Amino acid sequence: MDDALRSVKAEVWARRFSNPKEQWAAGYLPMYALRSASEFFEWRDEALGAEEVEGRSWLTSAYREFLSGLHDYRVPAVIIPRDIPPIAVARIFERVNKSGMTLGAFDLMVAKSFTAGFNLRTLWEGARRERPLLKAFLQDDGLPILNVIALRQRAEIRQSAVLELPGSAIRDGWDDAVEHFDAALRAAVGHFGILDPSWLPYRPILVVLAALDYEFSVQIESDLLTKWYWATVLGRRYDVASNTRAVADFQSLARGEDPIERPPLLIREVLLEATRRQQGTLHRAFLTVLGSRVRRRTAETANFEDADGLTAESLYVRDPDGDLDPPLHLRSLSFVLSTGKSDQWAVVERDQQFLPPDFDDAEEFLEYRLERLAEFASEKVGARVRVLTQEQLDGGAR
């Protein structure tokens, strides 16, 4: 039956299939003829004359064996009071649909903002086609775009704030939010070295950048934004209370104020043990350090294509003889950028010396890399950034 279903535009139906005889001749049985048994047989009698015995018999048999089951079919439904909070509707929505198509907050807002002339899902698909960075970084999730609207209108980026937005706010703010989010992504790639979506340390960073782009162009390098980004990712500021901190940072930065109270503190043991799965924020932050040093093909703001073929590779591989410390090959600080188009390391600016000099000892190289990272961080945040051991940190605390 699924394969047999067809849709016909109303005007075409009225013009070409206005009566049962025309419908039968075209091979159509309208759904409205199946509201009840009496309506079906009335339609059958009008569509076929009494002399068309074979056709009448076939229709009668099809109705009794298959189509009449529609009258007994019951569609399960959850009846929700009109005054239930949107966040509760979202939870019900997600739980009911766990066994079917996954539906989330964005799908709720598609329904909430829908009008005859506005379909959020269609607009989102169009934005992804027209803006490659949106597709690369957000995939099919348009919720971060709505987070930008919520941040500017309600000073909040939690899902609950998005769900409380009226449909009119989505309709009025969507186009601008898409444009500013695209600008934020260009800044993320061009200024902060986020050359791959998997390198993004924190998702709220993009929402903050997009919301700030309404006030000033984030694609123009700014000492204030530079300090904020590097202090945030190297200092792991969003590991806790990320939504609250992101909102406060946006409000400060929008006023031209510095939200960073102190430079980040780098802990040696944490840095050396950071991997994609353990201390992942630092792992990704260090990749963006490397990415920010890649020499661009042009002096203009980087396009996403600049990252084509770049991957993060470890300088070390697991030693089959066990001579290397087991976690060494996974340490973030042993990573460099390489390009899939050749066996050469990607070109980085030599003044930062993130590519290794000729060191025979791995630990010596890692110490060297720690020093370069501290120098890089100090330059970006405009204050001395130190690398301390956990013992030094605990001693200082006492």
Side-chain angles (χ1 to χ4, degrees):
M1 287 185 67
D2 285 346
D3 293 338
L5 288 173
R6 298 290 184 272
S7 62
V8 180
K9 290 185 177 180
E11 59 270 21
V12 174
W13 185 263
R15 185 174 67 253
R16 298 179 54 191
F17 312 111
S18 59
N19 63 73
K21 288 187 179 296
E22 293 173 335
Q23 296 159 11
W24 171 252
Y28 288 140
L29 167 60
M31 292 296 292
Y32 55 73
L34 297 174
R35 290 193 185 105
S36 66
S38 61
E39 289 185 79
F40 170 77
F41 286 110
E42 181 180 348
W43 177 88
R44 183 202 64 177
D45 292 342
E46 289 186 36
L48 293 90
E51 67 280 1
E52 297 185 67
V53 178
E54 186 177 348
R56 291 169 63 89
S57 175
W58 182 87
L59 273 174
T60 301
S61 176
Y63 178 77
R64 287 175 176 169
E65 293 184 28
F66 303 106
L67 302 176
S68 61
L70 290 172
H71 305 318
D72 297 323
Y73 188 77
R74 295 293 179 265
V75 179
V78 178
I79 300 174
I80 302 174
R82 182 179 296 274
D83 58 351
I84 192 170
I87 190 64
V89 176
R91 293 195 191 102
I92 295 171
F93 210 54
E94 291 169 351
R95 289 172 183 170
V96 168
N97 285 281
K98 274 185 177 179
S99 60
M101 181 188 300
T102 302
L103 299 173
F106 186 77
D107 300 282
L108 273 177
M109 299 312 294
V110 170
K112 189 174 183 180
S113 62
F114 182 83
T115 66
F118 187 92
N119 186 322
L120 184 58
R121 173 62 65 183
T122 301
L123 291 172
W124 172 229
E125 291 172 354
R128 292 170 65 240
R129 285 193 303 270
E130 296 167 6
R131 301 173 186 268
L133 282 176
L134 286 180
K135 182 178 180 180
F137 276 80
L138 301 187
Q139 299 297 316
D140 192 41
D141 183 13
L143 188 62
I145 309 290
L146 304 184
N147 290 139
V148 175
I149 299 174
L151 177 55
R152 291 193 59 83
Q153 294 199 5
R154 294 178 175 268
E156 184 58 84
I157 61 174
R158 290 184 175 87
Q159 179 176 293
S160 57
V162 172
L163 293 171
E164 290 171 359
L165 289 171
S168 58
I170 305 300
R171 292 190 293 271
D172 294 341
W174 174 257
D175 288 341
D176 285 344
V178 166
E179 181 179 347
H180 291 299
F181 207 99
D182 190 61
L185 289 172
R186 293 182 181 278
V189 173
H191 300 326
F192 304 126
I194 307 175
L195 303 183
D196 187 281
S198 66
W199 298 3
L200 179 64
Y202 301 106
R203 292 195 75 175
I205 283 174
L206 297 178
V207 177
V208 172
L209 286 173
L212 288 172
D213 196 63
Y214 288 74
E215 309 297 330
F216 53 84
S217 175
V218 296
Q219 295 187 70
I220 299 174
E221 288 196 76
S222 157
D223 290 342
L224 186 63
L225 286 183
T226 296
K227 178 180 180 180
W228 165 75
Y229 173 79
W230 293 111
T232 296
V233 300
L234 294 176
R236 298 179 293 167
R237 293 181 62 243
Y238 286 1
D239 278 4
V240 179
S242 60
N243 291 334
T244 302
R245 286 183 179 273
V247 172
D249 285 355
F250 162 70
Q251 293 171 334
S252 295
L253 292 167
R255 295 191 298 265
E257 299 173 358
D258 183 0
I260 306 303
E261 297 178 355
R262 62 182 66 88
L265 183 63
L266 304 179
I267 303 173
R268 184 184 188 280
E269 292 87 347
V270 174
L271 285 167
L272 293 182
E273 294 175 1
T275 68
R276 184 174 60 182
R277 294 182 178 84
Q278 178 177 305
Q279 302 293 345
T281 299
L282 277 177
H283 175 81
R284 296 188 295 272
F286 185 69
L287 291 178
T288 67
V289 170
L290 296 177
S292 70
R293 310 314 298 174
V294 173
R295 185 175 299 149
R296 305 298 177 186
R297 289 196 293 265
T298 69
E300 300 173 358
T301 299
N303 293 319
F304 189 60
E305 289 73 15
D306 288 331
D308 184 38
L310 287 178
T311 57
E313 302 288 347
S314 174
L315 287 175
Y316 303 101
V317 295
R318 187 181 295 277
D319 186 351
D321 297 326
D323 292 333
L324 294 180
D325 189 24
L328 190 60
H329 73 291
L330 291 177
R331 294 177 180 179
S332 280
L333 292 188
S334 70
F335 276 74
V336 298
L337 295 183
S338 68
T339 173
K341 296 179 179 178
S342 72
D343 294 330
Q344 300 298 315
W345 300 120
V347 178
V348 298
E349 294 181 8
R350 295 291 175 173
D351 61 328
Q352 290 295 329
Q353 287 295 314
F354 278 105
L355 287 183
D358 294 328
F359 282 124
D360 295 327
D361 181 77
E363 294 296 337
E364 185 181 0
F365 162 62
L366 290 173
E367 291 297 331
Y368 174 86
R369 181 67 65 84
L370 281 171
E371 293 175 7
R372 299 290 76 73
L373 178 62
E375 290 176 5
F376 173 89
S378 299
E379 174 194 338
K380 294 300 181 181
V381 303
R384 184 189 176 197
V385 174
R386 296 185 297 163
V387 179
L388 299 179
T389 65
Q390 189 64 55
E391 182 179 358
Q392 288 173 323
L393 185 65
D394 293 341
R398 287 195 298 269

